[in-house]
Amino acid sequence: MSLPFYQRRHKHYDLAYRNRELQSTLSQYHQELHLKKRRSAAHSSLQDYHQDMSSYDAYSGLQDYDQAPGSSAFHTSLQELYRKRSSAAHSSLQELYRKRSAAHSSLLELQQEQHSSAIYSNLGLKASHNAVEERSSKLSPKAKRSKRIHLSEEKENENLDYVVPVFRGRFQHITGITDTEEERIKEAAGYIARRNLFATGEGIHFNKLAFSSSGHEEFQTKSRRTAIREKAEYLALKRTLEETEEYRKKLNEDSLLHAPEFHIKPRSHTVWEKQNMKFHCTVSGWPAPRVTWYKNNVPINDQTHPGKYIIDDRYGIHSLQINKCDFDDTAQYRASAMNVKGEQSAFASLVVKRYRGEFDITAFQVGVSSQPPSFGITPYGYRSRFDIYFLDKFDVSFGREGETMSLGATVVIHPTIKRFQPEIQWYRNGVLLSPSKWLRTYWSGERASLTLTHLNKEDEGLYSLRVVMGDYYDQYSAYIFVRDANAEVAGAPAAPLDVKCLDANKDYVIVSWKQPAVDGGSPILGYFIDKCEVGTTHWSQCNATPVMFARFPVTGLIEGRSYIFRVRAVNKCGIGNPSRVSEPVAALDPADKARLKSHPSAPWTGQIIVTEEEPAEGVVPGPPTDLSVAEATKSYVVLSWKPPGLRGHEGIRYYVEKCVSGTDDWQRVNTEIPVKSPRFAIFDLAEGKSYSFRVRSCNSAGVGEPSEATVATLIGDKLDIPKPPGRPVPSRNTDASVVLTWEEPKDAKELVGYYIEGSVAGSGKWEPCNNNPVQDLRFTCHGLDTGKDYVFRVRAVNAAGLSDCSSESEAIEVKAAIAVPSAPYDIALLESVRDSMVLGWKQPKVAGGAEITGYYINFCEVIDEVPGEWHEANIKAVTDKAYRILDLKENMSYQFQVAACNQAGVGAKSLPSKTFKCEEWTIAVPGPPHGLSLTEVRKDSMVLLWEPPIYSGRTPIVGFYVDVKETKAKEEHWKAANEKPITNKYLKVHGLTDGVSYVFRVRAANQAGVGKPSDLTDPMVAQTRPGTKEVIAEVDDNGVISLNFECDQLGPGSEFIWSKDYEGLDDPSRVDIETKGGRTKLIFKDPSEKDLGIYSCVVTDTDGVSSSYNLDEEELKRLLQLSQDKKFPVVPLKSELAAELLEKGEIRFWLQAEKLSNNAKVNYVFNDKEIFNGEKYKMHIDHNTGIVEMIMEKLEDEDEGTYTFQLQDGKATNQSSLVLIGDVFKKLQKEAGLQRQEWLRKQGPHFVEQLAWEVTSNCNVLLKCKVANIKKETSIIWYKDEREIMVDEKHDFKDGVCTLLISEISKKDAGIYEVILKDDRGKDKSVLKLVDSAFADVMNGVCKAIAQSASELKLRTTGEGIKLYCLVMYYVDDLKVSWLQNNDKIKYTDRVKSGVTGEEIWLQIGEPTPKDKGKYVLELFDGKTTHTRSLDLTGQAFDDALAEFQRLREAAIAEKHRARILGGLPDVVTIQEGKSLNLTCNLGGDPLPEVTWLKNEKLLVGDDHCILNIESGKHATFTVTAVHTGDSGRYSIRVKNKYGTETNDFTVSVFIPEGGEEED
C-alpha cells in the first residue's frame, strides 16, 4: 500500500540468487527423476522391494547382531566395511538401496495422491513437517548435514523426536568441488543418496524407525516359509561380507578411492578480544578432498574479508586464522571436506570474551558513538538557549526485514562553542536507544546518523533525533515502517515479533511474543517456539503442537547454560519465517543470577558452569510452601512455589502431582526426572475440568511430604480475545498520509496494541499499515497514493490473539467519467524473476474524457508458439502503468493483454504482447525505463518524460541517458542527447530539424554500467502546429504575478493540468489556479525561491497541446521587481540624495532620477519645513539629466538636521532624505571649513608638498618641501624649535623646491622644524617634527645609508694580533654593530675586543690561535634591516696573517728587551776647570746590557780621575774629579745585549774663568 505493488513483492538480485538457480535446477532434476515413477511404476517398484526386502532384513539382522542400533561403534564398523568390500558387493548394496528408495518414494507418492486433501488432519503437524523437510532436502544438498550433531547426547541423552531445520533470512553460496553447474548438481544428488545410506547417528536411527514401522505393518503376516528363506539369505549375505572383508585386506588401500576422514579435528577455543586465533585440522581421502570453512553454516570467503581471515593448506594441514577477534566472531565453525566419495565435517566453537567493566575508549572517538563525554564545558555562563537546526533530515521511510537502513540529519547549532559538543540521542517510540548489534550510531561533529544493520519489525516506530545542549534540547522525528520479508513458503504467515524471556529459572523460562499482522491469507493455527544454546547454531523445537497463546513456558533447560529463543507462526500453508532471536537468558536461579551480577568473578562469555557440592549426610526435605497457580491457559498451567525451609545442605528437586477436583487420585506429573526450579508447567490437561496440584521435595535422602494442595483450577483461557475497536475516523494529514482515530474496545484486558489495515476503496485487498502494534488510539498511515480512495479498519491485540476487525471507515468519493478509454499499447517487460514478471505499457491515447482509474491484465501460456487459454492476472484494477504478475511458471513463455478502465467502465483490450519468457534476471545493470511520453512539441525541440526502471540492478541508479534518431534512420544512427547522466525524469531535447520525425529511447545507468534501452516512443514530427501558444508570465496592475496559458482546441472534457517539474504541483497551497473558457492562469500567492522550477500546462483530450515556463532565480527577481513597480509606482532614481564639498568649501546636495518630464516638481524640505531658493540656498533642476541640486555657501550650527527632496512626476512619486546630525554633521562642517581655508591658502604662496626628509648618498639628512605661487618678493625662513636657522645664501626656489641640509646628524639635531613662506599676498607654513619616533625613523634611514656605505671587511696584522675593520661614511650610536664567527656571536674578552675609531669599525683579536679561524661577519642593524659584511679567515689567509703576526710580535719583543739608554745624559756639558763633573743615566734591557764608555771614539777606561760606575746594571755614573781642559771632548756611552746596541753621545767643555792662568 505504501509502495508500488511491484516494489512490495520485488526480490532484489543478490548473491543468493545463485543459490536459487542451483536449487531450481536440482529441483527440476528431482522432478524429472520422480516423473518416471508414476503409479504404474509404483506397483512394480513395490514388488521389487518385497523381493529384496529379505536381503535388507538380513543386513539389518546383521546390524542387530553385531552392534546396538544407532551406536557410534556400529557406524564406524559400517563405514569401514563399506571401504573394504568388493565392487560387486558395492553394486548390490547400491541397487538394493535404489529399489528400497524407489519403493518408499512410490508409497509416499501414492499416499499423497490418495490423501492430499487430508494430509494435515490425518498425519498431524509432524507429517506436515516431514513433508516440508523432505521438500527442503530436495532443494538444497546441504539440508541434512546438521543431523551429524547428536543433540540427544549433548542434552543429557534426551531423545528428541523433532529437529528444527536451519532457517535462513539470506541464502549463502553452495560450494562444490567441480566447476560446472551440471557436475555440481549430479555430485550433490549422488552425495545425498550415499549420505542417506551410510550416514551416522540420528539419520540412520530416524530412517530405521521409519522403515521398521513400515515393515512391521507390511510383513507382520509373513509365512514360515518366507521367514526361513529370509534367514537363509541373511546368512548368505553375512558370509559374502566376511569374504569381502578378507579380500579387501589383501588389497593396497592407498590405491582405492575413499571418502574424507578427519584425523585431527579442529579444537574449540576461548580467547579475549583483539587476539588472533587459528583452527587446525588434518584430513585424508582419495582423491584429495577439498576443505571449505564455514561460520554458522555460512561459507567463509577470505577474499571478501582481506586481513580478517587467512585460510591455508600446507603439508596436509588445513588452518583457518582469525585476526583481531571481536565479539561478533563468537560462533560455531565447521571444516567441511568433500571429494567424489562423500563429505565429512568437523565442528569447533569460538568464544570471544570481553570484560564487562572495561573502559571503552571508542566511546570517545568521533564517528564511533553518539554519546559525547559529559566532562565537556557546560553552556552555563555562555547562553541559556541554543538554536538547533536539522538539515538534510531523514523522512518517513519504508524498509523490509533483512535490509539495512540508515537515518541521518545534519545538525547546526548556534552559537558554536568549540569546547562544548552536543549530546546526540536517538529514541524509538520515546525509548532511548543504545548501540548494539542491531543498530549503530555515528556522530561526525556535524552529521548524526543511525544505521539499522538488519531490519526487523521490532525496529518499526517513531524515531526521534534529540540534540542536547546542557539543559536545552531540540529533536526531530519521523516514522519508520518495516514490512515483512518474503515468506519461504508461499502463503505462510509473517514472523512474530518482540520475543522476550520472562521468569527465568534453573530449568524453566516463559517466552512471550507479539502476533504478526499478516497471517499469509489463512488463519494462524499457532506458534512454534525454538531454542538454541548460546555458542551453537542448532535450533530445537520446544513444543510438539502449535500454541495459540502468546506466552509459553519452556522447561528442560540445563542449569548454568544460556539460551536464545525464536518463534515461528504456522497456518495451513506451512511455517513462516522465524522471528528475531531473543536476548540471551541464563538457566539459573534468580538469587544466583543476582549474586553473580553484584560480584562478577569473570567476564561474561555466554555460558555459566554450575557445580554442585558433594552431599553431606542426607536430610529428607520438608514440604514446599506458597504453592500457587501462576498462569493458566487451556494448553498449560504454570505452578510456582517456594523451597522448603528444611532441606539440608544438598540441592533439592521436586515432584509435581495433580488430581481432578472432587477425587483423591493423585498422579505424579514428572515421573522420570524431578525438576530443579520452583516453577513447573503442566501440559496435556483436559480443557473444562478442574484440577488441584501439590509438590513434593526430594534429595538423596528421600522424598518429602507434599505441600498443601492448590485450590481447584478450571482449565481454560483466563484472558479472552479483545472485542473489536470502534469504527476508525479518518482525517487528512498530508498528500501521502491519513490520520486515524478510534475508540478502545470494551472490557479490554492486557492490550498489547492495535494493527491498522488499509485498502483502496472497492479493491478488497487489505494491507497492513503497521507491523508493530501501536498502543495509542491515534495513528498516521503513511505511504498512500495521492488521489486514491482508501478505507481502513483496526484490530486489537493481546496475548490471547487478535480481535475481529472494526467497521470500515468512510471512503472518499470518485469523480464521474464520461466514456471508456481506448486500449493501452506497447506492452514491455520491465523485470523478470523465477515466478513473476513486471509489465509496463503506455496509457491509452484516448482517456475517455475522465481520469483513468486502473488497468486489468490478462495472460496466457505460449507452448510451441501457440497461445493457450487467457487468464485474469488481477481481479481488482491496478492504477499504475506497470504490474507484477505472480505465480508464473519458471522458463515458461507468456503473452499478455491490458485493458484500461475509468468510472464509465473497462475499455478495449490491447493487442497481445510479444512472447516473454519467465526467467530470472541476474544482470548487474538496470532494466529498461518505461512510461515514455512526449510533450511540448515544437519545430526545434520537444520534452521527453519517462519513469525509472523497475529492476535497478545490483546498485542504485545514478542517472539516465536519452538517445534520439530520425524515425526512418538505421540503428547505428542513434545519437546521445546528453553526454553525462541526468537524474531528472525529463529532458528537453533541442537541435531538432523542422518537419522531421523522431523517435526516442532512454537508458538507465548505475555503477555497473548502462542498462537496456526502453521501448521507443511513438514517432513524433518536430513542428510547431498553427495556433500553438506558450505560457506567458504577467504582472497585473495590482502587482500579482501569474503564468497564463491559452488554448483554442478544447474538447468537451478537456482540462488544464498544471505541474511543476513535470511531476504535479508539490505544494498546491502556494498557488491559485483560475480557469475560464480557453484560458487558465496559475497565480503565485507569495512568490519566493520555493516556487522556482519548470511549470508546465497540459490540456487533456487534445492533440498534445502543452507548454512550459522556466521560472529561475533571475526571472523571479525580474517579476518581483516588476510587481513592486506595479503596486507602488515611483520615480526611479539613479542615485539617492547625497552631499559633497565644492572647491571653495560650499556644500552641494544632489540626487539624480533616471528620467524627469518637464512637468516634474521638487519640494525641498529641511526638518519637516519646506525651504525655497534664495541667498542661502541655490536650487536647480535639470530635466534632461534628471539631476536635482541645492548649494549652500557654508554650514552653520543651525543647519544641522534632515534634508529631503520630494519628487513628483505625474502619478509617480519618490523622495530621498539625508540626515546630517551629530558627528556626521560636525564632520561635514569641519571638512567644509578646512576646504574653505585650503582654498584661501592657495590664493598666496603655499606649499604643494609639505616639509619632509630624505637621506642623501653622503648619509646626510636633507629637509625639503615643494612650493607654488612664488614670486621674487617671496621670502623663506627656516626655524628649529622656534629659533631661526641662519642660511648663508638666499634660496632661488629652483624647480619650486626648498631644501635644508643637516650634515652628520646626531641626537642634538632632534627637534621641530618649520619653514615659512610669505609675501604681500599672505604666508604659509609647513612643520616637520623630528622627535621621538619620527626622529628614530630618520636615524634608521641614516643608519641604513651608513650601513650601505660600509666597505668590505679588511685585515690588518700588528704585533699585538689580527685586526678586522670596515670603513663607513661616519658612525652614529644608533647603528647597532655585532660580530659573528662561523654564525656564532663573538663574546668579547680581554683578548677579543670590538670598537669604533672615527670612521673605522674594528675587531681586535690578540694573540691569535688556530681556534680563531673561520668566517667573520659584521652585522650592521639600522633598526629595521640587518646589513652584513664578511671575511673568510681560513686556509692560507689565516696562515699568512698568523705568520705576519708572529714576525711582528718577535720584532716587538726585540724592541722591548734590547739594550737602551733611558735618559739622564745631556747633549753638552760646560764646566769650569777645577770643578767636579758627575753625570748619571738609566739603563734598560733584558738581559742586562754590557756598558762601554768612549772618549773621542776611543775606549775610555775608568781611573781615579775619571770614575765609571754601574749600579745593578740599571744605572751608570760618570764622574770626573777636578776637571781640566784636557777632559774636554766628545764622550759616548754604549750599551749592548743580545737584542741590540744603543749609543748615547755627550760633549764636555771645560773653560777657564777670566783672570786665571792657563797651565802648560
Side-chain angles (χ1 to χ4, degrees), residues 821-824 827 841 844 852 854-858 874 877-878 897-902 905-910:
S822 62
I827 301 175
W841 55 86
I852 295 177
Y855 298 90
Y856 292 93
I857 301 95
N858 298 334
N874 60 317
V878 295
Q897 287 180 334
V898 182
C901 66
N902 56 14
V906 180
K909 298 178 183 178
S910 66

Side-chain angles (χ1 to χ4, degrees), residues 1263 1277-1280 1283-1287 1300 1313-1314:
L1263 305 182
I1277 305 174
W1278 292 88
Y1279 292 89
K1280 176 180 179 289
R1283 297 181 62 182
E1284 184 179 355
I1285 301 175
M1286 304 305 297
V1287 182
L1300 176 65
Y1313 293 83
E1314 60 180 326

